[in-house]
């Protein structure tokens, strides 16, 4: 009858540890049921779940493994695993798996403690913890530092909404972002990412910038704020704001475009997505003129926005064509996915305003970015602490996977 041994090894990392241990197991025709290892600050931790064939002398195998570990300066622990215990462990592999992603400027013990307490309270087991961000230097943090730790957790989750709420409470208290996703085949297999423009890809509301130059800044800004909070119908408020731009010189559009500030992480995110073969789109309730400017600058694939009517070099205060409001964004998202042969579960949508909620809920992954409170509460995921390129962490890409 076969025996199962759990072999755990730890110590200063150096070449040959894994090779030495597995060579011994190979000589005894051992089957490897599970294996894993990690290195933290040059310290190796490795575990091997080994099945010894019938007739194999456990004492001999154990002695050889221990001797090899001692010769290499490693600590070795060997424990027998019963067939029942192994059976329960195998059965647990069928449980649902989730990913909890912690995003912050730096990672603290308090953050880890609070997150893992929530995980434990909901009776979930942590399978692994991985740092996706690069190593943080000692001393003062660099400008716009990024830190990310990913928890892979498993188990039956009775109240998913309660678990998500508890994570959001921790995120709010610690001023970090916590994302919670099911770990399924779509997570690393997204193909299309659609972005809102104003206050998402750029750190401005373009219509407010135009209004300031037209001398109607306060009036337009007040309407914009109420619309983004969801207090006003977008289409009606949009026409009202555009009407206030009547008579603005067309040359002002170029001036505003040249002054636009790209959001932190946007250029890195778009270039990485392009390298990985993703399609990218701007679906904006703003103006086509500025969306085309960003498309050229960032190298994006598709643009849908509102056409500002201009006659004789002056803004008429009207828009032509169908206004891109919330429902129109969701419709355009579905059309793009269909035309590219992409399942909606493979689509990501990113936005900050109430008019983005329909497309965020349509996409397989909807992300509220530095969003209004209403949008944060309604969206599946929310990022407020880091830049747009933190989205790559939600897709499971570490800094090592990314080109800078």
């Amino acid at each position: 009858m076969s025996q199962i041994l759990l072999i755990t090894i730890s110590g200063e990392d150096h070449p040959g540890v894994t090779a030495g241990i597995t060579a011994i197991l190979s000589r005894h025709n051992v089957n490897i049921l599970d294996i894993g290892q990690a290195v933290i600050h040059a310290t190796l931790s490795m575990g091997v779940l080994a099945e010894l064939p019938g007739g194999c002398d456990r004492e001999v195998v154990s002695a050889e493994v221990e001797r090899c570990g001692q010769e290499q300066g490693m600590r070795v622990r060997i424990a027998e695993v019963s067939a029942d215990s192994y059976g329960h462990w195998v059965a647990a592999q069928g449980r649902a798996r989730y990913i909890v992603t912690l995003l912050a400027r730096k990672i603290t013990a308090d953050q880890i403690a609070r997150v893992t307490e929530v995980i434990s309270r909901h009776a979930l087991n942590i399978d692994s913890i991985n740092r996706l961000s690069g190593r943080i230097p000692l001393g003062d943090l660099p400008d716009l530092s990024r830190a990310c730790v990913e928890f892979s957790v498993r188990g039956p989750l009775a109240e998913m909404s309660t678990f998500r709420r508890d994570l959001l409470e921790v995120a709010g208290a610690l001023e970090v972002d916590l994302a919670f996703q099911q770990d399924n085949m779509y997570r690393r297999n997204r193909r299309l990412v659609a972005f809102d423009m104003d206050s998402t890809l750029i750190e401005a509301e373009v219509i407010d910038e135009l209004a300031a130059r037209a001398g109607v800044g306060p009036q337009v800004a007040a309407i914009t704020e109420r619309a983004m909070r969801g207090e006003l119908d977008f289409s009606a408020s949009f026409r009202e704001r555009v009407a206030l731009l009547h008579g603005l010189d067309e040359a002002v559009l170029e001036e505003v475009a040249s002054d636009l500030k790209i959001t932190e992480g946007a250029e890195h995110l778009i270039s990485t997505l392009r390298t990985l073969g993703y399609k990218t789109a701007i679906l904006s309730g703003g103006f086509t003129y500025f969306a085309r400017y960003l498309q050229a600058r960032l190298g994006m694939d598709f643009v849908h926005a509102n056409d500002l009517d201009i006659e004789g070099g002056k803004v008429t205060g009207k828009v032509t064509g169908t206004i891109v409001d919330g429902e129109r964004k969701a419709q355009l998202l579905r059309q793009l996915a269909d035309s590219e042969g992409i399942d909606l579960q493979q689509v990501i949508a990113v936005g900050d305003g109430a008019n983005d909620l329909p497309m965020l809920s349509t996409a397989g992954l909807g992300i509220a970015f530095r969003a209004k409170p209403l949008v944060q509460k309604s969206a599946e995921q929310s990022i407020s602490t880091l830049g747009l390129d933190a989205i790559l962490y939600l897709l499971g890409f570490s800094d090592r996977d990314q080109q800078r």
Side-chain angles (χ1 to χ4, degrees):
M1 182 176 178
S2 64
Q3 300 177 73
I4 301 173
L5 299 181
L6 175 60
I7 303 168
T8 55
I9 299 164
S10 62
E12 184 176 348
D13 185 40
H14 57 271
V17 175
T18 306
I21 298 298
T22 54
I24 293 169
L25 299 178
S26 173
R27 288 198 297 271
H28 291 277
N29 297 316
V30 167
N31 293 324
I32 302 300
L33 302 176
D34 196 18
I35 186 169
Q37 72 176 49
V39 177
I40 298 178
H41 193 61
T43 298
L44 169 71
S45 296
M46 182 175 74
V48 180
L49 196 60
E51 180 190 23
L52 277 59
C56 182
D57 191 327
R58 173 201 163 174
E59 298 301 328
V60 171
V61 174
S62 298
E64 290 184 18
V65 169
E66 289 174 347
R67 187 182 311 113
C68 177
Q70 291 170 0
E71 289 173 353
Q72 300 202 48
M74 309 299 287
R75 293 178 293 278
V76 179
R77 180 176 179 272
I78 300 176
E80 186 167 355
V81 176
S82 69
D84 286 344
S85 176
Y86 179 74
H88 288 309
W89 178 77
V90 170
Q93 301 304 299
R95 295 176 181 172
R97 187 194 297 270
Y98 306 95
I99 298 293
V100 178
T101 310
L102 168 61
L103 304 165
R105 293 297 179 184
K106 64 177 180 179
I107 301 298
T108 68
D110 187 37
Q111 294 165 0
I112 301 294
R114 297 281 291 275
V115 172
T116 53
E117 189 279 327
V118 172
I119 294 171
S120 174
R121 193 183 338 136
H122 286 266
L124 297 174
N125 290 326
I126 299 174
D127 282 347
S128 64
I129 303 175
N130 296 306
R131 173 179 51 84
L132 299 185
S133 53
R135 293 170 180 170
I136 301 296
L138 295 175
D140 294 335
L141 288 174
D143 291 339
L144 304 180
S145 65
R146 307 183 310 163
C148 174
V149 171
E150 177 186 273
F151 303 82
S152 176
V153 302
R154 186 194 300 272
L157 191 54
E159 296 289 342
M160 190 175 296
S161 60
T162 303
F163 182 68
R164 190 183 298 274
R165 182 202 65 199
D166 291 349
L167 287 177
L168 289 177
E169 287 180 0
V170 171
L174 298 178
E175 297 184 347
V176 301
D177 292 321
L178 285 169
F180 169 60
Q181 308 173 64
Q182 283 193 307
D183 190 9
N184 56 35
M185 67 178 183
Y186 292 114
R187 182 168 176 251
R188 276 180 172 263
N189 193 30
R190 314 288 184 181
R191 306 310 311 152
L192 169 67
V193 189
F195 298 88
D196 174 46
M197 179 174 66
D198 297 55
S199 297
T200 300
L201 283 174
I202 56 174
E203 294 184 356
E205 293 287 334
V206 167
I207 197 167
D208 291 349
E209 299 298 318
L210 296 176
R213 288 164 170 78
V216 291
Q219 299 97 303
V220 168
I223 299 171
T224 298
E225 183 63 24
R226 292 183 64 195
M228 291 299 99
R229 291 199 303 262
E231 297 174 6
L232 298 173
D233 173 73
F234 180 83
S235 294
S237 67
F238 184 68
R239 293 186 188 279
E240 183 180 352
R241 286 175 286 166
V242 172
L244 292 170
L245 302 179
H246 175 74
L248 183 66
D249 196 287
E250 182 181 10
V252 173
L253 275 64
E254 184 176 354
E255 295 174 9
V256 170
S258 63
D259 289 340
L260 291 178
K261 183 178 180 181
I262 305 296
T263 298
E264 174 196 349
E267 291 174 295
H268 174 232
L269 171 62
I270 301 300
S271 65
T272 302
L273 292 174
R274 188 167 59 246
T275 299
L276 295 171
Y278 285 64
K279 297 291 186 179
T280 56
I282 297 175
L283 303 183
S284 173
F287 300 116
T288 303
Y289 179 93
F290 302 96
R292 293 290 184 198
Y293 173 85
L294 280 178
Q295 181 184 29
R297 179 169 174 179
L298 297 176
M300 303 185 72
D301 297 294
F302 310 106
V303 162
H304 292 279
N306 298 300
D307 295 321
L308 188 60
D309 189 48
I310 297 174
E311 292 183 3
K314 300 290 184 180
V315 175
T316 67
K318 300 177 182 179
V319 290
T320 59
T322 304
I323 289 180
V324 180
D325 59 6
E327 292 304 321
R328 179 63 174 158
K329 287 186 177 186
Q331 181 186 33
L332 289 167
L333 190 68
R334 287 190 289 267
Q335 289 176 0
L336 282 175
D338 184 62
S339 65
E340 293 296 314
I342 297 172
D343 191 288
L344 283 173
Q345 285 297 319
Q346 296 176 282
V347 175
I348 302 171
V350 188
D352 73 297
N355 64 316
D356 295 312
L357 283 173
M359 76 169 181
L360 297 188
S361 62
T362 298
L365 178 62
I367 303 171
F369 179 73
R370 298 180 182 175
K372 313 301 184 288
L374 169 68
V375 184
Q376 285 189 9
K377 290 180 180 179
S378 303
E380 181 183 9
Q381 309 296 346
S382 178
I383 295 175
S384 298
T385 305
L386 304 183
L388 268 176
D389 51 355
I391 290 171
L392 295 169
Y393 292 141
L394 300 192
L395 302 180
F397 294 112
S398 70
D399 283 355
R400 294 187 300 275
D401 300 323
Q402 305 172 32
Q403 295 181 348
R404 281 185 173 272

